[in-house]
Amino acid sequence: MHVTAPEPIEFSVGVEGMTCASCVNRVERFLRKADGVSSASVNLATERATVLVDPTVAGRAEVEAAIVAAGYDVRPERATDSMALTLDDADPDADLRAQEMRELGLKALVSVVVALAIMALMLWPDILGMPMVELNWLLFIPATFVQFWAGGVFLRAALRQARHRTVSMDTLVAMGTMAAWGYSTAVTLAPALVTDAGIEPVTYFDSSTMIIGLILAGRWLEARAKARASGAVAALVGLSARTARVVSDGTEVDVPVEEVRPGDLVRVRPGEKVPVDGVVVSGSSSLDESMLTGEPVPVLREPGDEVIGATVNGEGTLVMRTTHVGRDAVLGQIVRMVREAQASKAPVQRLADRVTEWFVPLVIVLAAVTFAAWWAVGPEPALTNALVSAVSVLIIACPCAMGLATPTAIMVGSGRAAESGLLFRGGAALEAAGRVDTVVFDKTGTLTAGRPSVAAVRVAPGFGEADLLTLAASAERGSEHPLGAAVVAEAERRGLTLGTPEGFAATGGRGVRAEVGGRRVLVGSRAFLAEAGISADVSAVGASSERPLTEVLVAVDSTFAGALEMADEVKPTAAAAVRELRERGLEVHLLSGDSQAAATAVATEIGIDHVQAEAQPADKTAYVSALRRQGRSVAMVGDGINDAPALAAADVGIAIGTGTDVALEASEVTLVGGDPRLVGAAIRASRGTLRVIRQNLGWAFGYNVVLIPVAMGLLYPVLGLRLDPILAAAAMAFSSVSVVLNSLRLRRLPVAPDSPEP
């Protein structure tokens, strides 16, 4: 008996104690070594690890054990059985983050105040009229309090990592501040150690406390900025309605939206938000779907039409039957996709990951070399100068900025894109879209409205128009293709009674076959009928070969029965979408399973020069693959089942959100609305985000390349320039905050259609 292996499961775990990119690398290494874990990605900005595990080998307990083994703590998860969409879906760690921010703020404030008081007393010791030896005892008490209370976060983390034979940014801070505090304490307790050597008993309590205060202040500012970075997801969650008006047994009751269940009838009055996903049962109204799709024009919804939760009803009253609620609804899925994208890594992050593997150990070595060099050949007092320079090297180094450079930009960029109806599956998709130089569009449902209609019915001798349409529509009842839906809609409009198709089979992009009332019916393209050995003489049924209309041919019992001529309007924004892409230097192609005449007519109308018609799914895949072999970076845009292989074959698959589930699963980018201008918006969002990532990484690397040598004192022999530890701490804190603030600029990125060039 064949046993199917269980599908891997993916989940995320909050990680406490990470402060820099080296922490991220260590957690990832331990997770990947754990049994049953096939992949692991850790995000410093969200402080969460996303893992893919074999459920027969490992589960959450094994993953958490690997995190602990790496030297870090697991953030407790809030258990809930509710399917309701809440702010926890935007940031499940929001409450804990808020508590940590309050603690950081308090400790930073106390540390800075104490440091300023110590500095004032050291600059003006005459205020108290005490000699320096006695004054040091007075300074020792508050400095020690700050060192072990506020600075305890660094000490505990460094000790924990030492037990696991690793180092991080906390190690550098702990070593630097403890060195300054330890030297000062020794001078305070035993001043003869330095005075006997002719060295003034100067302490550095002000440096140790101020370093702690500035770094904690930097982390507080960083935490605030990261909270703002997740604001887009919180805004999406905030769109959801809080109550719904449920209709039951002729009465209406307002209930919390989380109590609504699939199958419930819900009434939506004019001006109200649609509370859940559903299908209109009665009434008609225009709905504002702009908050999800970016489309400003209201959309008419009538009985049988699907409606999306969080959209806004217009002037009519609707009664709808609930289909999906909470996290299963469209809004819930969008929130999930955005969170997954924000938690993912872009390939560009790999460079920073490789560097930080050895960065912190290198800094410790450089600090040791600095101390030894200054002590050996530096000016007097050599020991003091050696200590100050070594502490500056330890403090100035900042892998924090390298760790935050990419994830913060992805968090903000993907969130900003989601606000305009663009959903990226992850950082890799966000990065790949920025490299695209060729865009290949499907036609039906992508550049055209996707709501074709039957313009004419042409019948062969021996068949009636109603009979032909009835058989064709009955066969198409099982199809998801827009042309099939149009045939069914036309038959229903005429009041024809449709049969039940048996043995239904669809050949993607070509046609369907079924048995209706004992008769074998084929509906599809000329090639589809030819493969079945059926010759279709379209001219004999009076079909117009001059007009660029799509032909749907029908055969009954192996005999050509007639042709349905389909009309499909080009989307009003299609030409603008193509024009923007061409202005950006991209090459645009049209790839369609339709006839050459119909495809060429659409391409001419919207300005596309490269056209491939009558393409089957395999042809579309081959076409995309051929472009890639030419060295092009290809984005494929489609919406149907027949587009799925080509979407998967492209560098970036872009699915129209109104398309089929198969197409959506095969794509890396989803356009929630049907506006083709969103393709240009996706590329614009990607390039804007990548630009910020490169800026962040450039700053993070450049900062260390320039300032570490200064901290070591390499410029001292030439310019007499040294870096005070306090200035080093301020610079280190500023570097991390500046990276996050630069990423936050993406919140103003012009992504929506008609946005100007960024």
Side-chain angles (χ1 to χ4, degrees):
M1 183 178 68
H2 178 72
V3 179
T4 304
E7 290 289 327
I9 60 174
E10 183 179 272
F11 56 87
S12 69
V13 180
V15 184
E16 292 183 342
M18 296 190 301
T19 56
C20 64
S22 61
C23 303
V24 170
N25 293 334
R26 179 171 177 82
V27 176
E28 285 184 344
R29 283 200 311 272
F30 272 72
L31 286 173
R32 289 165 182 166
K33 289 191 298 184
D35 292 338
V37 177
S38 55
S39 69
S41 177
V42 179
N43 190 304
L44 180 61
T46 60
E47 298 177 7
R48 298 190 74 81
T50 302
V51 295
L52 190 67
V53 303
D54 180 348
T56 63
V57 179
R60 184 175 291 273
E62 287 75 15
V63 170
E64 292 180 353
I67 293 171
V68 173
Y72 300 88
D73 297 325
V74 175
R75 193 183 297 275
E77 300 287 334
R78 188 180 303 178
T80 177
D81 297 326
S82 174
M83 283 296 296
L85 192 64
T86 67
L87 287 175
D88 283 347
D89 294 280
D91 185 0
D93 307 320
D95 291 345
L96 290 171
R97 290 186 198 278
Q99 181 180 344
E100 290 174 359
M101 283 178 58
R102 287 192 295 269
E103 292 178 0
L104 281 173
L106 176 62
K107 289 180 178 180
L109 178 62
V110 171
S111 300
V112 171
V113 170
V114 170
L116 291 174
I118 292 175
M119 292 172 69
L121 290 174
M122 292 181 68
L123 288 172
W124 299 288
D126 293 339
I127 294 176
L128 300 179
M130 300 170 64
M132 182 59 70
V133 173
E134 295 179 7
L135 182 62
N136 286 341
W137 278 98
L138 181 63
L139 304 180
F140 168 76
I141 298 172
T144 301
F145 170 75
V146 170
Q147 183 68 39
F148 293 96
W149 174 67
V153 61
F154 307 115
L155 299 176
R156 288 190 295 272
L159 290 172
R160 182 172 63 245
Q161 289 151 12
R163 287 196 298 270
H164 293 87
R165 299 177 183 179
T166 186
V167 290
S168 72
M169 188 63 215
D170 288 321
T171 307
L172 301 182
V173 176
M175 290 178 65
T177 58
M178 283 300 295
W181 176 86
Y183 175 84
S184 302
T185 299
V187 169
T188 300
L189 300 179
L193 292 174
V194 294
T195 56
D196 291 349
I199 301 173
E200 187 179 355
V202 177
T203 60
Y204 294 93
F205 289 129
D206 58 332
S207 296
S208 62
T209 54
M210 184 60 79
I211 288 169
I212 291 171
L214 290 175
I215 295 176
L216 290 177
R219 290 191 177 180
W220 180 78
L221 291 171
E222 181 187 305
R224 280 181 58 89
K226 287 194 293 186
R228 290 173 60 195
S230 61
V233 184
L236 285 171
V237 173
L239 293 175
S240 60
R242 296 291 174 249
T243 62
R245 187 171 291 104
V246 177
V247 181
S248 178
D249 298 328
T251 62
E252 299 179 6
V253 181
D254 288 336
V255 301
V257 70
E258 56 265 25
E259 295 183 9
V260 180
R261 297 291 181 266
D264 288 350
L265 290 177
V266 175
R267 185 181 301 277
V268 186
R269 293 177 178 174
E272 292 182 340
K273 281 186 178 180
V274 178
V276 293
D277 292 2
V279 177
V280 178
V281 175
S282 64
S284 64
S285 183
S286 294
L287 270 64
D288 180 0
E289 300 180 349
S290 60
M291 68 284 293
L292 294 180
T293 66
E295 284 286 344
V297 181
V299 180
L300 179 65
R301 298 302 183 198
E302 299 176 314
D305 291 339
E306 295 182 354
V307 291
I308 302 172
T311 56
V312 180
N313 188 26
E315 298 180 352
T317 297
L318 299 175
V319 176
M320 53 180 287
R321 188 172 300 280
T322 302
T323 55
H324 300 93
V325 299
R327 298 186 181 98
D328 290 337
V330 169
L331 181 61
Q333 295 177 41
I334 290 173
V335 169
R336 175 180 57 78
M337 290 183 67
V338 175
R339 276 193 60 199
E340 289 175 354
Q342 291 183 335
S344 66
K345 278 191 175 183
V348 72
Q349 177 67 22
R350 294 169 186 161
L351 174 60
D353 290 345
R354 288 195 297 269
V355 171
T356 54
E357 286 282 345
W358 48 264
F359 183 80
V360 174
L362 176 63
V363 170
I364 294 174
V365 172
L366 291 176
V369 171
T370 300
F371 182 87
W374 276 88
W375 196 8
V377 300
E380 293 295 335
L383 177 60
T384 300
N385 288 326
L387 176 69
V388 170
S389 298
V391 170
S392 294
V393 172
L394 290 171
I395 297 302
I396 196 68
C398 188
C400 310
M402 284 185 276
L404 293 168
T406 298
T408 54
I410 289 176
M411 283 181 66
V412 183
S414 58
R416 179 72 181 93
E419 293 174 351
S420 299
L422 289 167
L423 303 178
F424 292 91
R425 284 194 179 273
L430 189 61
E431 180 175 339
R435 296 194 300 265
V436 166
D437 57 27
T438 305
V439 178
V440 180
F441 283 100
D442 169 55
K443 180 178 73 69
T444 305
T446 304
L447 292 174
T448 64
R451 295 186 294 273
S453 58
V454 178
V457 181
R458 311 292 184 184
V459 297
F463 293 89
E465 186 172 312
D467 185 37
L468 176 70
L469 188 57
T470 298
L471 291 171
S474 299
E476 290 281 11
R477 290 181 75 179
S479 174
E480 286 188 310
H481 198 281
L483 293 177
V487 174
V488 174
E490 178 64 16
E492 292 176 344
R493 187 185 68 80
R494 298 189 183 193
L496 303 177
T497 302
L498 303 185
T500 301
E502 298 179 357
F504 174 85
T507 303
R510 296 162 64 191
V512 302
R513 64 180 73 232
E515 187 170 306
V516 181
R519 308 182 75 179
R520 296 185 304 278
V521 182
L522 276 70
V523 186
S525 65
R526 190 191 300 262
F528 183 65
L529 267 63
E531 287 181 359
I534 302 171
S535 177
D537 185 4
V538 179
S539 61
V541 299
S544 174
S545 58
E546 289 81 17
R547 290 194 298 165
L549 299 178
T550 301
E551 297 173 344
V552 176
L553 309 185
V554 184
V556 179
D557 294 331
S558 302
T559 301
F560 175 60
L564 308 175
E565 290 190 355
M566 315 297 294
D568 190 8
E569 293 184 358
V570 174
K571 291 181 177 179
T573 58
V578 172
R579 183 170 60 252
E580 179 191 355
L581 293 172
R582 295 183 66 173
E583 288 174 352
R584 290 179 176 273
L586 280 75
E587 190 172 280
V588 184
H589 296 240
L590 179 63
L591 192 55
S592 175
D594 212 341
S595 67
Q596 187 68 51
T600 301
V602 170
T604 302
E605 182 177 346
I606 62 179
I608 297 178
D609 299 326
H610 306 276
V611 183
Q612 177 70 41
E614 301 177 3
Q616 301 177 9
D619 298 326
K620 292 185 177 182
T621 305
Y623 190 91
V624 170
S625 299
L627 288 172
R628 294 186 67 192
R629 285 195 298 270
Q630 296 173 17
R632 295 187 170 276
S633 182
V634 182
M636 174 69 196
V637 189
D639 73 321
I641 292 175
N642 58 313
D643 300 322
L647 289 168
D651 294 281
V652 182
I654 302 177
I656 299 292
T658 53
T660 64
D661 292 340
V662 176
L664 297 179
E665 287 297 323
S667 64
E668 288 82 28
V669 184
T670 299
L671 313 182
V672 178
D675 191 344
R677 294 178 300 172
L678 287 172
V679 176
I683 294 172
R684 192 159 58 244
S686 173
R687 291 179 177 178
T689 302
L690 286 176
R691 183 169 58 251
V692 169
I693 288 174
R694 287 192 290 267
Q695 292 169 354
N696 286 348
L697 289 174
W699 165 255
F701 284 118
Y703 160 87
N704 286 289
V705 169
V706 172
L707 291 185
I708 288 179
V710 176
M712 293 177 68
L714 297 184
L715 297 182
Y716 183 79
V718 181
L719 303 175
L721 182 63
R722 296 179 58 189
L723 192 63
D724 185 91
I726 294 176
L727 294 177
M732 193 274 277
F734 174 75
S735 70
S736 299
V737 175
S738 64
V739 163
V740 181
L741 292 177
N742 190 47
S743 296
L744 285 172
R745 293 192 304 112
L746 288 169
R747 297 179 70 181
R748 299 189 300 272
L749 181 70
V751 174
D754 292 331
S755 295
E757 179 73 32

